Amino acid sequence: MKILFINTCVRENSRTKRLADYFLKEFSGDEITEVQPRKEGIAGLDEEMLKVRDQALLEKNYDHPVLAYAKQFKEADMIVIAAPYWDLSFPSALKNYIERICAVGMTFDYDEHGIPYGMCSAENLVYIQTAGGMVDNDAFGYGYIKALCENFFHIEKTFCFKAEGLDLPFNDPEELLKKAEEEIDSFLPDLKQNA
């Protein structure tokens, strides 16, 4: 199985990365490709890059370097995203990455009625996040990714594992992280069976 791991963690001892590593260790025999948008210098699209991308899509030149991340995303069997919860959302590096993979005619397209349909291979997307506070409304974090999967990419199953409240003075962060790991443990047999 080809697993695409999108790592948007910034800190050296990232708690989100810890949970992602915990999840991924169960797939150590599979092909795992890691993308680190910030380290790879994935910037948001500007006018010049949009022109290059649109021309590549028009020509169906899906091997063009500007479409490399979209092609990689489209062909993965499972997607794993590690994204800490920042300011009611995720790090900007993930949004820049999303701009690169949303490619009409490649990762999704529109039918004759203007309704989008997905063209990606993955059946599952796993979203892993941690938060110092409580996640009261996840619409702009995991919820946004889930909506993209359902409406654009045709990735039918999305799952979120999270540990929140890690920096609140009355919580034990290690205990909360262990609970998240236990949740991953209880979920993994079903995911591996259906992968």
Side-chain angles (χ1 to χ4, degrees):
M1 178 165 57
K2 291 193 297 188
I3 299 173
L4 178 60
F5 173 38
I6 304 154
N7 175 9
T8 65
C9 302
V10 174
R11 293 185 175 97
E12 184 177 346
N13 296 313
S14 167
R15 299 174 295 196
T16 309
K17 178 71 163 49
R18 168 185 162 171
L19 290 181
D21 288 343
Y22 188 85
F23 178 86
L24 288 168
K25 74 177 172 46
E26 292 297 319
F27 298 90
S28 60
D30 292 292
E31 177 187 336
I32 300 174
T33 301
E34 182 175 351
V35 173
Q36 296 184 57
R38 192 175 310 279
K39 286 190 177 178
E40 294 180 31
I42 300 176
L45 294 174
D46 58 19
E47 185 175 7
E48 187 58 37
M49 190 171 293
L50 277 171
K51 285 179 186 176
V52 172
R53 185 195 68 176
D54 292 349
Q55 189 62 36
L57 288 169
L58 183 66
E59 295 171 359
K60 299 187 184 328
N61 182 5
Y62 301 134
D63 291 322
H64 193 287
V66 76
L67 297 174
Y69 292 110
K71 182 177 181 182
Q72 187 180 52
F73 188 90
K74 174 188 173 80
E75 294 175 353
D77 298 315
M78 182 167 70
I79 312 291
V80 177
I81 297 175
Y85 193 73
W86 288 358
D87 306 321
L88 301 180
S89 189
F90 40 70
S92 59
L94 182 54
K95 180 63 172 104
N96 290 344
Y97 176 82
I98 290 166
E99 287 184 5
R100 296 294 186 96
I101 63 170
C102 287
V104 178
M106 190 169 185
T107 54
F108 73 98
D109 212 333
Y110 295 95
D111 67 17
E112 64 274 8
H113 304 291
I115 299 170
Y117 63 90
M119 303 171 71
C120 295
S121 299
E123 292 183 21
N124 301 297
L125 181 139
V126 175
Y127 190 88
I128 298 170
Q129 77 178 12
T130 59
M134 302 305 291
V135 179
D136 293 327
N137 180 354
D138 209 4
F140 308 112
Y142 166 64
Y144 173 73
I145 299 298
K146 182 177 181 184
L148 280 172
C149 289
E150 291 173 349
N151 295 299
F152 277 11
F153 301 138
H154 188 65
I155 300 174
E156 296 180 353
K157 298 174 188 168
T158 62
F159 308 92
C160 181
F161 298 106
K162 63 184 174 183
E164 57 185 340
L166 296 174
D167 296 333
L168 299 178
F170 47 82
N171 283 337
D172 178 349
E174 187 60 30
E175 182 181 313
L176 294 171
L177 288 164
K178 288 285 187 194
K179 277 187 180 177
E181 290 173 353
E182 289 169 9
E183 185 183 355
I184 289 169
D185 286 339
S186 67
F187 172 80
L188 275 168
D190 288 339
L191 180 63
K192 291 185 86 169
Q193 183 178 3
N194 295 324

mmCIF file of all heavy atoms in Angstrom, residues 134 165-173 176:
data_model
loop_
_atom_site.group_PDB
_atom_site.id
_atom_site.type_symbol
_atom_site.label_atom_id
_atom_site.label_comp_id
_atom_site.label_asym_id
_atom_site.label_seq_id
_atom_site.Cartn_x
_atom_site.Cartn_y
_atom_site.Cartn_z
ATOM 1 N N MET A 134 -8.980 23.553 24.007
ATOM 2 C CA MET A 134 -10.055 22.665 23.551
ATOM 3 C C MET A 134 -10.506 23.090 22.156
ATOM 4 O O MET A 134 -10.554 24.268 21.840
ATOM 5 C CB MET A 134 -11.241 22.722 24.520
ATOM 6 C CG MET A 134 -10.870 22.343 25.945
ATOM 7 S SD MET A 134 -10.068 20.724 26.092
ATOM 8 C CE MET A 134 -11.425 19.634 25.679
ATOM 9 N N GLY A 165 -6.538 20.020 24.802
ATOM 10 C CA GLY A 165 -6.432 20.483 26.166
ATOM 11 C C GLY A 165 -5.072 20.184 26.788
ATOM 12 O O GLY A 165 -4.924 20.158 28.009
ATOM 13 N N LEU A 166 -4.066 19.981 25.943
ATOM 14 C CA LEU A 166 -2.756 19.547 26.432
ATOM 15 C C LEU A 166 -2.037 20.600 27.285
ATOM 16 O O LEU A 166 -1.199 20.249 28.116
ATOM 17 C CB LEU A 166 -1.863 19.154 25.253
ATOM 18 C CG LEU A 166 -2.330 17.942 24.425
ATOM 19 C CD1 LEU A 166 -1.436 17.756 23.214
ATOM 20 C CD2 LEU A 166 -2.358 16.693 25.270
ATOM 21 N N ASP A 167 -2.344 21.865 27.075
ATOM 22 C CA ASP A 167 -1.643 22.921 27.814
ATOM 23 C C ASP A 167 -2.475 23.516 28.946
ATOM 24 O O ASP A 167 -2.045 24.481 29.588
ATOM 25 C CB ASP A 167 -1.202 24.036 26.851
ATOM 26 C CG ASP A 167 -0.187 23.546 25.830
ATOM 27 O OD1 ASP A 167 0.538 22.580 26.137
ATOM 28 O OD2 ASP A 167 -0.128 24.131 24.728
ATOM 29 N N LEU A 168 -3.642 22.960 29.190
ATOM 30 C CA LEU A 168 -4.472 23.467 30.279
ATOM 31 C C LEU A 168 -3.896 22.982 31.606
ATOM 32 O O LEU A 168 -3.505 21.814 31.735
ATOM 33 C CB LEU A 168 -5.917 23.006 30.106
ATOM 34 C CG LEU A 168 -6.597 23.498 28.817
ATOM 35 C CD1 LEU A 168 -8.006 22.943 28.713
ATOM 36 C CD2 LEU A 168 -6.610 25.018 28.749
ATOM 37 N N PRO A 169 -3.808 23.873 32.607
ATOM 38 C CA PRO A 169 -3.077 23.547 33.839
ATOM 39 C C PRO A 169 -3.634 22.365 34.622
ATOM 40 O O PRO A 169 -2.914 21.719 35.360
ATOM 41 C CB PRO A 169 -3.150 24.843 34.650
ATOM 42 C CG PRO A 169 -4.277 25.616 34.066
ATOM 43 C CD PRO A 169 -4.371 25.220 32.632
ATOM 44 N N PHE A 170 -4.914 22.053 34.444
ATOM 45 C CA PHE A 170 -5.526 20.963 35.212
ATOM 46 C C PHE A 170 -5.447 19.619 34.490
ATOM 47 O O PHE A 170 -5.945 18.616 34.985
ATOM 48 C CB PHE A 170 -6.990 21.296 35.549
ATOM 49 C CG PHE A 170 -7.766 21.817 34.373
ATOM 50 C CD1 PHE A 170 -8.320 20.972 33.426
ATOM 51 C CD2 PHE A 170 -7.925 23.195 34.201
ATOM 52 C CE1 PHE A 170 -9.039 21.463 32.360
ATOM 53 C CE2 PHE A 170 -8.640 23.698 33.128
ATOM 54 C CZ PHE A 170 -9.199 22.823 32.194
ATOM 55 N N ASN A 171 -4.834 19.587 33.291
ATOM 56 C CA ASN A 171 -4.719 18.345 32.527
ATOM 57 C C ASN A 171 -3.306 17.782 32.585
ATOM 58 O O ASN A 171 -2.335 18.529 32.702
ATOM 59 C CB ASN A 171 -5.109 18.574 31.064
ATOM 60 C CG ASN A 171 -6.608 18.672 30.876
ATOM 61 O OD1 ASN A 171 -7.381 18.173 31.682
ATOM 62 N ND2 ASN A 171 -7.024 19.330 29.809
ATOM 63 N N ASP A 172 -3.219 16.466 32.453
ATOM 64 C CA ASP A 172 -1.935 15.777 32.335
ATOM 65 C C ASP A 172 -1.725 15.479 30.849
ATOM 66 O O ASP A 172 -2.393 14.601 30.302
ATOM 67 C CB ASP A 172 -1.957 14.484 33.148
ATOM 68 C CG ASP A 172 -0.666 13.691 33.037
ATOM 69 O OD1 ASP A 172 0.183 14.016 32.178
ATOM 70 O OD2 ASP A 172 -0.509 12.727 33.809
ATOM 71 N N PRO A 173 -0.834 16.225 30.156
ATOM 72 C CA PRO A 173 -0.686 16.037 28.716
ATOM 73 C C PRO A 173 -0.293 14.604 28.331
ATOM 74 O O PRO A 173 -0.766 14.081 27.325
ATOM 75 C CB PRO A 173 0.391 17.041 28.308
ATOM 76 C CG PRO A 173 0.986 17.559 29.564
ATOM 77 C CD PRO A 173 0.045 17.268 30.666
ATOM 78 N N LEU A 176 -3.350 12.436 28.285
ATOM 79 C CA LEU A 176 -4.200 12.713 27.121
ATOM 80 C C LEU A 176 -3.607 12.121 25.841
ATOM 81 O O LEU A 176 -4.334 11.598 24.991
ATOM 82 C CB LEU A 176 -4.406 14.219 26.972
ATOM 83 C CG LEU A 176 -5.199 14.888 28.107
ATOM 84 C CD1 LEU A 176 -5.157 16.392 27.972
ATOM 85 C CD2 LEU A 176 -6.633 14.380 28.126
#
